[in-house]
Amino acid sequence: MTPDDERSVVRRSDIPPSVSQPVVTPLWPSVVYRTDDADELDGLYEGDHPGYSYAREGHPNADVVASKLNWLEGLPADAPRGIITGSGMAALSAVLLGLLSQGDHVVAGDQLYGRTRRLLDDLRRLGVEVTLADLGDSDAAGAAIRPDTKLILAEVVSNPTLRVVELDGLAALAATNEALLVIDNTFTTPRMIKPLARGADIIVHSVTKLLAGHADVTLGYVGTRDAALAETVRASAVTHGHTPSPFDCWLAERGLHTFDLRYDRAEATARRLADELALLGGVRAVTYPGRSDHPDHHRARALFGPRSGNLVTIELDGGRSAVNRFIRAVPNTAFAPTLGDVATTLAHPASSSHRAMTDQQRADLGISEGLLRISVGVEDADQLVPEFCRAVKAAC
Ligand SMILES: *Cc1c(COP(=O)(O)O)cnc(C)c1O
């Protein structure tokens, strides 16, 4: 017992003793951790004892999420713990800033997530050279490689056209050229594919999307089985301050408990929605990797097996005005530039993710004013699908 004259509300309280344990991971917002003396702190920094010192360097809520994501991505228990960052972009910048130096060359997909393209542009400012190529085409990818290519950065399916990358070819190319293959698995998730088992060196996620899944968390993840790479990326993330919030990690862990369930439900609805929308007049095209009319259907089958994801892209006749009518005809579905929420969301690439491009650049990628990307959520398909079909009829 603390003597009365040493008690103070300012001083920290002891945690009440308990023989029982919470079943839910506690939230640890503490920025800093105390040790009993300088020797113990020294041992902690040296890695002789497990523990935490300062939240920027790491905290338990991040590590709980990192272990779950390592497991989802198929990493063995003795792989280095994944790195959780404050956003998906923080994960990408930790990888790129940690591993690249002036004069290094990067080959990247020409249809990457918009912000990732801007990050690559920013790296040019620091003397990193970048070649964008169609990574769905082995010849184009091979032609982009140079002797000084250090890293290949790809997403498994492109945004918003859902073209499927030549993953096995890229892995072979990376191996022959001693380049690192970095895969952003955000759209596909480890439920569709585990790229580390197919030759990728590093996996990156925007945990913000399907993994956390409730549009209330902004987080990223980096995973690898290579201890030296993990250490370099971790040091980059910590030094550049890409620290995740404990509360976001806590929410992400809760979201992950239902990831498989949410994914399966959304995928089943997406498949049905794609098939029903494709039958309607006014719908010029439906792009869904699970449909046999998808341009990369065979590759999708080979990489994803029976899986095909929760994203469906449609092109409406009538351009932007038809898109506007469609959006207004589904007032219970958010027109919002994200994906992977429990609720379905709609995105219009021409006015959002791809707005910085010229009309010609968009046309080259197949992104018209009539294109809508649907991120299918976990609503009842019997409600959602008829609503969307009615909206197409109202819009076109
Ligand atoms: C959203 C997204 C990112 C960026 O993630 P944030 O968590 O929003 O920073 C990166 N890559 C892809 C494919 C994404 O969809």
Side-chain angles (χ1 to χ4, degrees):
M1 279 271 274
T2 310
D4 270 355
D5 61 356
E6 290 180 20
R7 291 167 69 186
S8 157
V9 287
V10 177
R11 293 191 168 156
R12 304 296 181 183
S13 313
D14 289 334
I15 295 168
S18 171
V19 292
S20 53
Q21 298 282 322
V23 293
V24 172
T25 306
L27 172 62
W28 283 282
S30 195
V31 164
V32 74
Y33 292 79
R34 56 188 283 179
T35 43
D36 283 344
D37 61 23
D39 289 344
E40 202 171 274
L41 181 62
D42 204 32
L44 194 72
Y45 280 126
E46 287 300 316
D48 299 337
H49 324 296
Y52 301 91
S53 58
Y54 189 64
R56 194 208 316 107
E57 314 279 317
H59 55 72
N61 290 110
D63 286 346
V64 168
V65 175
S67 301
K68 280 196 154 48
L69 293 179
N70 265 24
W71 182 81
L72 274 178
E73 282 294 353
L75 283 163
D78 62 352
R81 187 158 49 212
I83 299 136
I84 302 295
T85 56
S87 68
M89 289 315 301
L92 283 156
S93 69
V95 168
L96 298 176
L97 290 171
L99 297 174
L100 296 172
S101 303
Q102 187 178 15
D104 284 341
H105 179 242
V106 175
V107 171
D110 62 0
Q111 296 194 50
L112 290 176
Y113 182 72
R115 269 295 156 193
T116 308
R117 281 199 313 269
R118 294 217 208 163
L119 174 60
L120 291 167
D121 277 344
D122 207 38
L123 290 177
R124 288 190 169 106
R125 186 171 57 82
L126 303 179
V128 171
E129 293 178 45
V130 180
T131 304
L132 300 181
D134 176 1
L135 301 184
D137 173 344
S138 306
D139 293 341
I145 296 279
R146 304 193 324 209
D148 57 347
T149 302
K150 179 87 186 278
L151 190 148
I152 302 174
L153 174 62
E155 291 165 13
V156 188
V157 299
S158 66
N159 174 39
T161 50
L162 307 180
R163 295 302 299 264
V164 182
V165 88
E166 233 287 62
L167 187 58
D168 295 341
L170 283 185
L173 208 56
T176 340
N177 291 278
E178 290 179 22
L180 293 169
L181 179 59
V182 179
I183 296 290
D184 179 337
N185 201 20
T186 301
F187 275 36
T188 23
T189 83
R191 193 100 177 122
M192 268 174 95
I193 188 164
K194 295 179 171 58
L196 292 169
R198 293 188 91 105
D201 298 290
I202 296 177
I203 200 89
V204 176
H205 273 288
S206 169
V207 179
T208 312
K209 312 292 170 52
L210 283 113
L211 292 171
H214 294 71
D216 52 11
V217 161
T218 305
L219 284 181
Y221 161 84
V222 182
T224 175
R225 55 166 53 91
D226 183 309
L229 281 179
E231 210 30 62
T232 306
V233 174
R234 186 181 308 282
S236 163
V238 169
T239 305
H240 295 127
H242 297 323
T243 310
S245 139
F247 184 52
D248 276 11
C249 295
W250 188 86
L251 282 174
E253 184 198 357
R254 190 165 72 158
L256 283 169
H257 291 307
T258 56
F259 164 65
D260 284 1
L261 294 171
R262 287 185 284 105
Y263 175 92
D264 289 357
R265 164 101 167 200
E267 181 180 71
T269 305
R271 188 183 301 276
R272 183 171 149 197
L273 184 68
D275 287 343
E276 296 204 21
L277 291 180
L279 300 173
L280 301 180
V283 177
R284 187 174 297 174
V286 170
T287 309
Y288 186 63
R291 281 175 57 83
S292 56
D293 60 359
H294 186 283
D296 306 317
H297 180 63
H298 292 292
R299 191 181 292 157
R301 266 282 145 79
L303 290 177
F304 312 142
R307 305 259 174 224
S308 38
N310 79 314
L311 294 169
V312 180
T313 298
I314 62 172
E315 186 176 12
L316 296 179
D317 282 332
R320 185 179 292 205
S321 52
V323 162
N324 283 337
R325 285 192 296 274
F326 180 87
I327 292 166
R328 282 193 292 265
V330 286
N332 296 316
T333 297
F335 172 56
T338 190
L339 62 111
D341 184 20
V342 281
T344 300
T345 51
L346 296 173
H348 182 242
S351 63
S352 56
S353 53
H354 292 69
R355 62 174 298 115
M357 292 185 166
T358 62
D359 290 348
Q360 188 57 49
Q361 284 171 321
R362 278 193 295 267
D364 290 345
L365 295 177
I367 299 168
S368 72
E369 283 289 343
L371 205 75
L372 261 179
R373 190 192 71 196
I374 307 167
S375 166
V376 178
V378 302
E379 295 93 337
D380 182 354
D382 289 336
Q383 184 176 34
L384 187 82
V385 175
E387 247 175 49
F388 272 48
C389 290
R390 281 196 299 276
V392 167
K393 287 175 192 146
C396 300

